Amino acid sequence: MESRIVEFLDKILARVQGALEFLPNNSAILKNIDVFLFIMICLSAVCSIFMSNSIVAPLLCIVAVLFGSTMILDKNYRLKIEKSSLFLILYFVLAIASTINSTMPHQSLTGLSKTILYLLYFYATLQYLRAHKDKIPCFAMIIGVCVSFEIVIAFIQNYLDVLSAATWQDTARLNPELVLTRVYGTLKPSNPNLFGGYLIAAVPFLWLYTALNFVEKHHKRFLILLIFSILAIPAIFMTGCRGAYIALFFMIITLLVAAYNICKFHYPNVYDFVKKYLHIIVVAGAAVCCAIMVCVPKISHRILSIFAMRNDSSTSFRMNVYHSSWQMFQDNVLLGIGCGNKVFREVYGLYMLSGFDALSAYSIYLETAVESGIFALICYLLFIFFLIKEGIKAFFNCGDLKSRLCLTAGITGIIGVLSHGFVDTVYFRPQIQLIFWITVAMIMVLSQNQKVEVK
């Protein structure tokens, strides 16, 4: 059934391509459309960390137009739907149904339009990387440079002891000496949780670019990048974003497991050493982590506040939001209330506890269920499951070190963003969305042909 639908759509697409075959020969822009597509994909991701959504949105529209032009003008382009991508399409169809069913279709249509732009951005990146797998290191370099700049800003803001908004930290029961200066980078709006989420999504590309320079023996560049890669961890802690702390924990576990297997495949001497002294390395690593927590009480107190539950005002607030959002979901199980935070805010007012207004459900999974229903959430989870499954399978089947490094960075980034998403919804911001979909596209491309080598 699926193959017949794709075959039918391919025939229609081929006729359109045949009718417009003369155009690329008469236009310099159309002949170099891939170049413009690459520039706009990168420019969108870079501008998102400095500029407001009103500026980023037109850039995404340009990416969508360029992608559409590629589809209808490149006669070699054919539709291809992977298993994970199929569930993403089903999720989108359910989002449309949710918008149609919504009691506030206008506001829901606004939210759906954002989803459309992000998905077109993803498919544009996927299409580009399919034809230009050698550009993956370029994406790693561009995002790595951006996140390195943000790390410098984080340290400057921490040194200057920037002022925090009252809602960023519960200081009512806190010793003034334990109040953490929460950094927020250059992202708009200024929000430490958003900044923490961005670092979680983008830092794996910095780590990837560092590793690629090590493999290619660019020693001076590697040393500089290694410094930034190490400084990325304290920068994440400086945000004070507890969701980012949780994500960082799972990311480090993923990295260690991947590094262990990479050594097994490519560095047998290192693998034998690690295997022999694994218990000592684990104990030493745990001891270092404990020592850091003891030496930096501001960070350790912030980490421990994760488990404070009702004794921490921020955690207590989110628990109230989760309770109200769950009730919203129970009343709109099948198709949800409609897409976007505007619809959520309007409907949430009917369910919220007095004095606890909220912009979102503070969990991307609960948010998805509330907005588009249970089946949309299932489709999204299946999309993630097959994406990671295919990425892990490709990691073990490919024989190329660079491909394994790219897959490691991709899977680590996805796990980080989704772990953070359990307790926050900054995931829906363009700064994180664009990096997330570049990561997804990279994993898909490397999973499709497991023998491909990244140059």
Side-chain angles (χ1 to χ4, degrees), residues 198-245:
Y198 172 78
L199 290 177
I200 289 297
V203 161
F205 282 96
L206 173 60
W207 291 341
L208 170 59
Y209 191 52
T210 303
L212 291 176
N213 275 274
F214 173 78
V215 171
E216 294 170 357
K217 299 181 179 180
H218 299 310
H219 300 301
K220 292 182 179 179
R221 195 186 305 162
F222 165 72
L223 290 174
I224 295 171
L225 290 168
L226 180 62
I227 293 171
F228 281 105
S229 294
I230 295 171
L231 292 177
I233 295 177
I236 290 172
F237 280 108
M238 288 175 191
T239 66
C241 177
R242 294 171 295 182
Y245 295 173

Side-chain angles (χ1 to χ4, degrees), residues 172-378:
R173 306 175 186 177
L174 192 60
N175 185 329
E177 294 181 357
L178 295 178
V179 176
L180 179 69
T181 299
R182 300 190 64 183
V183 300
Y184 46 84
T186 63
L187 279 61
K188 307 295 181 186
S190 299
N191 185 328
N193 290 343
L194 173 58
F195 188 44
Y198 172 78
L199 290 177
I200 289 297
V203 161
F205 282 96
L206 173 60
W207 291 341
L208 170 59
Y209 191 52
T210 303
L212 291 176
N213 275 274
F214 173 78
V215 171
E216 294 170 357
K217 299 181 179 180
H218 299 310
H219 300 301
K220 292 182 179 179
R221 195 186 305 162
F222 165 72
L223 290 174
I224 295 171
L225 290 168
L226 180 62
I227 293 171
F228 281 105
S229 294
I230 295 171
L231 292 177
I233 295 177
I236 290 172
F237 280 108
M238 288 175 191
T239 66
C241 177
R242 294 171 295 182
Y245 295 173
I246 295 170
L248 182 61
F249 171 78
F250 287 108
M251 288 170 68
I252 290 175
I253 295 296
T254 305
L255 274 180
L256 292 175
V257 172
Y260 184 79
N261 284 282
I262 286 174
C263 289
K264 181 179 179 180
F265 289 120
H266 301 281
Y267 301 100
N269 293 333
V270 177
Y271 172 76
D272 291 338
F273 176 83
V274 172
K275 187 176 181 180
K276 183 178 181 180
Y277 297 103
L278 182 61
H279 59 291
I280 298 176
I281 294 172
V282 170
V283 172
V288 170
C289 292
C290 291
I292 292 173
M293 286 187 65
V294 171
C295 295
V296 190
K298 290 183 179 181
I299 299 296
S300 60
H301 187 277
R302 188 67 180 164
I303 293 173
L304 292 174
S305 70
I306 295 173
F307 310 100
M309 306 305 285
R310 288 292 182 181
N311 290 323
D312 181 84
S313 63
S314 176
T315 305
S316 181
F317 167 74
R318 291 181 187 231
M319 292 174 70
N320 289 329
V321 174
Y322 295 150
H323 178 267
S324 299
S325 298
W326 179 252
Q327 289 183 322
M328 291 169 64
F329 166 67
Q330 288 179 312
D331 290 343
N332 302 273
V333 173
L334 295 180
L335 292 175
I337 61 174
C339 297
N341 64 317
K342 290 184 178 180
V343 178
F344 181 92
R345 288 201 72 178
E346 292 292 333
V347 178
Y348 183 79
L350 303 174
Y351 291 84
M352 72 176 185
L353 298 176
S354 179
F356 290 94
D357 190 17
L359 297 174
S360 66
Y362 287 100
S363 169
I364 62 174
Y365 309 101
L366 186 54
E367 182 82 18
T368 301
V370 169
E371 289 188 5
S372 303
I374 184 64
F375 296 112
L377 175 62
I378 291 172

